Amino acid sequence: MSVDPYLETVAEPVMARIVELLRQRAYYHNQGLPVAAIEAAHAALALAQAHGLTAQEANISLHLAEDQAFLLNSYAAAAENARHCLRLIPQPDGIDRTKVATAYSVLGFVAAQQQRPVDAVWALREALAVLAPLQIRSPKDLTVFEQRTLARAYINLAVADSLVGDFEEARVLSEAALVLARAVGNEVALITLLENLGYYEIVLGNYQRAEAYLVEGENLASSGHHPDWLERLSYFQQMRSEIYLRRGDLQAASDYASRALDTHVRQLFHFDRSLVADVNALFGNLYLATGAIQSSFECLQRAERIYRYLGMTFLADRMHTQQALAAILSKNGRLQDSAAPPAPLLSPKAAHAFDLICQIMDLLFDVYATDEEGVAGHSDRVIRYALALARKMNLPEADIGALAYVGPLHDLGKRAIPPDILNKPGALTPEEYELIKHHSEAGVEILLEAAIGLSPEALSLLRHHHERWDGKGYPDGLKSEQIPIVTRVLSVADAYDAMTVDRPYRKGLSHSEAMQRVCENAGTQFDPAVTAAWQELHRVPEDFVFVPSW
């Protein structure tokens, strides 16, 4: 077969540039920097398309879909790139099977996030069907990428089935994935499967089997093999509490619930909303069992609210049903109403921690309830960026804790600003700008009124996140090191995200353009040292190894 001479001359340098761009994209993806990752992927895609490299075009489209879906919550763009990959590979075979399966997995994830569970199940079944030839082979005969893709297909379809209430099928799929994970020694998949199977068995009423999975998972999470596993420990502890509660052992249930809560608080570097919902569901049932009706209602209502926000309809409906059951039992005199939980249920320290988490989550929903477009995604990204930058600068744990707890609330005061001003397409009037400027002070006032016992440092983070290094910011005109370091970190993260996101009145900047703006404002708007650390965070290390998935 003849080879196009043009491709012979351009393929090597073009492919080298594409690989380098994908190496950058992989580093940014791993660091949780989606805008930078997507810009690198777009540059690689443009090269592939310009030189007719169809196979690379399919690969890069898939990388883009993953970044847009999992890091940036750009679901429409993610779905389009996944479908584009499928169009480029109409008859998958060999390595193309893993690409197509991944594309269907992205479509399934997007459908689940858009609360289309039936579409999610369809897409994820397609992903597993594409991988049928892999399912009949010995796990050890599969490549690493085939193993991961097949395990992910099993896990994702199981989760989708559980969302529509088919826990029997979810268990069968998860058991198949568990065999694969054990055979190839994939501990990352293993800990996820032990967690999921424990939950499925609890729902199905198989408490002994559930406990076996959860004990193994708890031991694995405690091993410290992966830095984020200690946070996962709280999932296993809370599910073991659920088992004891269903068996009627309230003391053991309370003990494990307190352990889960303590683990969650100690490891809380961001608000895992599903975990907060799970903890509320657990305590709602504990309070219900001990007769603390008012506390039970508050927890169950909060859990329902979060589950619905996350699109977890089955669990939200379950919380609603439990509230109705509690109301019936209370009305019939089967339960005594008590505003406060019984003393043995939580220690004062644990009760305070639980109250703090719940009140902050309630306030977060006040932030999300504003009509400003994209406010929830903005808060999530800002905290992800700020925490990465704080760790890069080796800030004290107290500062990192303040970011984790209060950072998501930095725009809390915007709930007092009319939506037509927040989303105004044109320039603000002087009066409107003054109103916008008040939101940082308003946020502090709301938190003080809530009386949740935050430290002065945490409150300062809210009040001063719009101060400037040159003293021209608001509300107090602080300058240079008068501004707390953690606030200077949040300021860079907040400004970068605001610049790179599309708004009703302007198109978002590219990563490169936003980085240039940040650097240009070092020494005026931003702390030069923080700016330098922000640049360093985006510098891809020479020794970072990129291993192509396909």
Side-chain angles (χ1 to χ4, degrees):
M1 184 179 72
S2 62
V3 178
D4 187 333
Y6 174 72
L7 286 181
E8 280 189 321
T9 59
V10 303
E12 188 171 339
V14 168
M15 283 300 302
R17 180 57 182 157
I18 288 175
V19 169
E20 173 55 24
L21 287 167
L22 291 180
R23 188 179 80 93
Q24 295 174 18
R25 173 261 166 195
Y27 176 77
Y28 295 140
H29 179 97
N30 293 347
Q31 295 295 312
L33 302 169
V35 181
I38 288 171
E39 181 172 285
H42 272 303
L45 181 64
L47 277 174
Q49 290 174 330
H51 296 287
L53 303 174
T54 305
Q56 288 303 316
E57 183 180 351
N59 297 347
I60 300 164
S61 295
L62 194 49
H63 287 312
L64 270 171
E66 291 181 300
D67 290 341
Q68 290 162 333
F70 304 135
L71 293 182
L72 206 55
N73 302 336
S74 297
Y75 299 130
E80 177 53 38
N81 276 306
R83 284 192 287 266
H84 184 59
C85 175
L86 293 175
R87 288 193 292 269
L88 292 172
I89 311 175
Q91 296 180 318
D93 196 11
I95 195 66
D96 284 344
R97 290 187 182 278
T98 59
K99 301 179 193 176
V100 169
T102 302
Y104 277 121
S105 293
V106 170
L107 291 174
F109 175 81
V110 168
Q113 296 304 305
Q114 294 176 333
Q115 300 188 35
R116 297 184 286 112
V118 175
D119 290 340
V121 170
W122 171 83
L124 294 167
R125 283 180 179 161
E126 288 293 314
L128 196 57
V130 169
L131 299 173
L134 305 186
Q135 298 174 49
I136 60 176
R137 290 165 54 188
S138 168
K140 293 186 178 180
D141 290 338
L142 303 176
T143 68
V144 172
F145 297 115
E146 288 172 336
Q147 293 167 3
R148 291 178 183 172
T149 305
L150 182 56
R152 184 164 59 175
Y154 280 131
I155 293 170
N156 290 345
L157 180 53
V159 171
D161 281 329
S162 73
L163 291 176
V164 295
D166 193 347
F167 289 96
E168 289 282 2
E169 182 63 18
R171 177 178 62 185
V172 170
L173 290 165
S174 297
E175 287 172 342
L178 186 66
V179 171
L180 174 60
R182 290 195 195 281
V184 300
N186 186 341
E187 285 192 332
V188 175
L190 179 60
I191 197 167
T192 299
L193 287 160
L194 293 171
E195 180 185 314
N196 292 355
L197 279 164
Y199 170 64
Y200 300 151
E201 295 292 7
I202 288 174
V203 174
L204 294 169
N206 303 320
Y207 303 141
Q208 187 171 353
R209 294 181 65 178
E211 192 161 31
Y213 288 129
L214 297 175
V215 169
E216 183 181 355
E218 191 173 355
N219 291 336
L220 186 57
S222 302
S223 69
H225 291 180
H226 291 263
D228 65 330
W229 279 7
L230 190 56
E231 187 174 337
R232 303 282 292 273
L233 181 60
S234 60
Y235 284 94
F236 295 103
Q237 292 168 333
Q238 83 176 44
M239 284 192 283
R240 291 194 69 184
S241 175
E242 176 82 13
I243 291 173
Y244 284 118
L245 175 63
R246 293 187 180 214
R247 287 172 172 168
D249 189 341
L250 295 185
Q251 187 57 56
S254 298
D255 289 345
Y256 265 95
S258 295
R259 290 189 208 178
L261 182 60
D262 180 62
T263 302
H264 179 47
V265 170
R266 286 189 290 114
Q267 296 299 312
L268 186 65
F269 293 131
H270 63 281
F271 271 95
D272 185 332
R273 292 167 184 78
S274 64
L275 179 54
V276 174
D278 293 342
V279 171
N280 271 275
L282 175 59
F283 278 99
N285 286 319
L286 279 169
Y287 290 154
L288 181 61
T290 54
I293 304 301
Q294 185 59 40
S295 296
S296 174
F297 274 133
E298 290 175 1
C299 290
L300 294 174
Q301 287 169 353
R302 184 178 296 109
E304 180 185 357
R305 186 184 188 189
I306 298 171
Y307 284 139
R308 289 210 189 281
Y309 173 79
L310 296 174
M312 303 170 77
T313 306
F314 174 82
L315 293 174
D317 290 344
R318 184 178 169 194
M319 295 300 100
H320 191 78
T321 301
Q322 286 174 295
Q323 292 171 58
L325 175 62
I328 293 171
L329 293 175
S330 178
K331 183 177 181 180
N332 293 341
R334 298 278 300 279
L335 294 170
Q336 293 183 342
D337 195 1
S338 170
L345 192 57
L346 280 177
S347 68
K349 179 181 177 182
H352 175 72
F354 181 55
D355 187 53
L356 179 64
I357 288 175
C358 292
Q359 289 196 58
I360 290 180
M361 180 54 68
D362 289 341
L363 290 169
L364 271 176
F365 269 98
D366 286 338
V367 173
Y368 298 162
T370 68
D371 289 329
E372 186 182 20
E373 296 186 11
V375 68
H378 169 70
S379 292
D380 290 346
R381 288 188 302 274
V382 166
I383 297 313
R384 186 192 306 145
Y385 297 152
L387 288 173
L389 182 54
R391 295 192 186 101
K392 182 71 176 179
M393 298 182 69
N394 296 314
L395 295 192
E397 286 300 314
D399 287 339
I400 291 176
L403 269 176
Y405 276 104
V406 183
L409 300 171
H410 69 279
D411 282 335
L412 176 62
K414 285 186 176 180
R415 72 177 190 174
I417 300 173
D420 59 329
I421 295 178
L422 286 174
N423 294 307
K424 186 175 179 179
L428 296 174
T429 67
E431 294 78 13
E432 290 169 339
Y433 182 56
E434 286 301 315
L435 190 59
I436 289 283
K437 286 168 61 177
H438 182 65
H439 83 270
S440 55
E441 296 170 280
V444 173
E445 291 166 5
I446 292 168
L447 286 179
L448 288 174
E449 185 178 344
I452 58 179
L454 292 173
S455 68
E457 292 80 9
L459 293 173
S460 177
L461 185 66
L462 256 72
R463 182 178 181 86
H464 298 303
H465 71 279
H466 282 292
E467 302 286 2
R468 291 171 52 106
W469 183 254
D470 59 10
K472 296 179 181 179
Y474 60 85
D476 298 320
L478 301 183
K479 65 183 299 184
S480 63
E481 294 186 1
Q482 291 177 327
I483 308 167
I485 179 61
V486 70
T487 307
R488 286 176 259 155
V489 165
L490 181 64
S491 176
V492 170
D494 187 27
Y496 172 84
D497 188 71
M499 284 188 275
T500 54
V501 173
D502 292 341
R503 303 303 298 273
Y505 46 86
R506 59 145 175 84
K507 178 76 174 172
L509 300 180
S510 69
H511 163 69
S512 298
E513 291 169 330
M515 289 295 286
Q516 183 177 348
R517 294 273 186 95
V518 170
C519 294
E520 288 172 350
N521 285 279
T524 53
Q525 184 175 354
F526 307 119
D527 177 351
V530 174
T531 304
W534 180 245
Q535 288 178 281
E536 185 62 29
L537 183 65
H538 287 81
R539 187 168 290 117
V540 181
E542 293 283 342
D543 59 354
F544 176 73
V545 178
F546 167 56
V547 180
S549 300
W550 303 289

